[in-house]
Amino acid sequence: MNYIDGFVAAVPTANQDAYIQHARLAALVFKEHGALRVTECWGDDVPEGETTSFSMAVKREPEEAVIFSWIEWPSREARDAGMAKVMQDPRLQPDANPMPFDGKRLIYGGFRMLLDE
């Protein structure tokens, strides 16, 4: 089965257009380096939790939205090779394409698919 990199972050709502531009360039680069699909989602119905929630996990502040995104790769091996190339790609270096959000509150991880129906 394919391999997934997942991401959750808080993005200032005033930076939505900048985030879309950032994500479009990143998607192009990821796909050039082997990703099958890049999906970006802007929080629309993200309830606050009492114990935990997306908002709590990224320490969302007022005037921020939660984003949820994932990158689909053909395999873990393709992801490892592609991600190494992406991290070296000059188009995604912070001076060329700065993140329009606080990267310290970005949550990410790689996931082995168990079910895809």
Side-chain angles (χ1 to χ4, degrees):
M1 282 199 191
N2 294 346
Y3 193 80
I4 305 295
D5 277 319
F7 308 88
V8 179
V11 179
T13 55
N15 290 356
Q16 185 177 17
D17 290 339
Y19 182 81
I20 292 168
Q21 290 176 3
H22 174 83
R24 279 195 173 124
L25 176 58
L28 175 73
V29 173
F30 278 106
K31 290 172 95 177
E32 284 180 11
H33 294 300
L36 300 173
R37 182 170 74 156
V38 177
T39 303
E40 295 283 348
C41 305
W42 191 265
D44 182 53
D45 182 18
V46 183
E48 296 295 330
E50 290 183 25
T51 304
T52 190
S53 67
F54 281 115
S55 295
M56 293 167 78
V58 297
K59 298 182 180 179
R60 186 184 65 81
E61 298 175 3
E63 305 304 321
E64 288 183 328
V66 174
I67 62 96
F68 176 66
S69 60
W70 64 92
I71 302 169
E72 186 172 349
W73 302 89
S75 66
R76 168 77 189 263
E77 296 76 21
R79 178 271 210 152
D80 290 348
M83 190 63 81
K85 292 175 185 174
V86 167
M87 292 298 123
Q88 297 302 313
D89 195 298
R91 295 170 291 178
L92 293 188
Q93 298 307 307
D95 58 327
N97 188 23
M99 292 188 297
F101 58 92
D102 181 0
K104 293 176 185 169
R105 293 185 286 142
L106 171 68
I107 298 171
Y108 61 92
F111 297 85
R112 182 174 45 90
M113 291 178 69
L114 298 177
L115 183 69
D116 185 17
E117 295 184 359

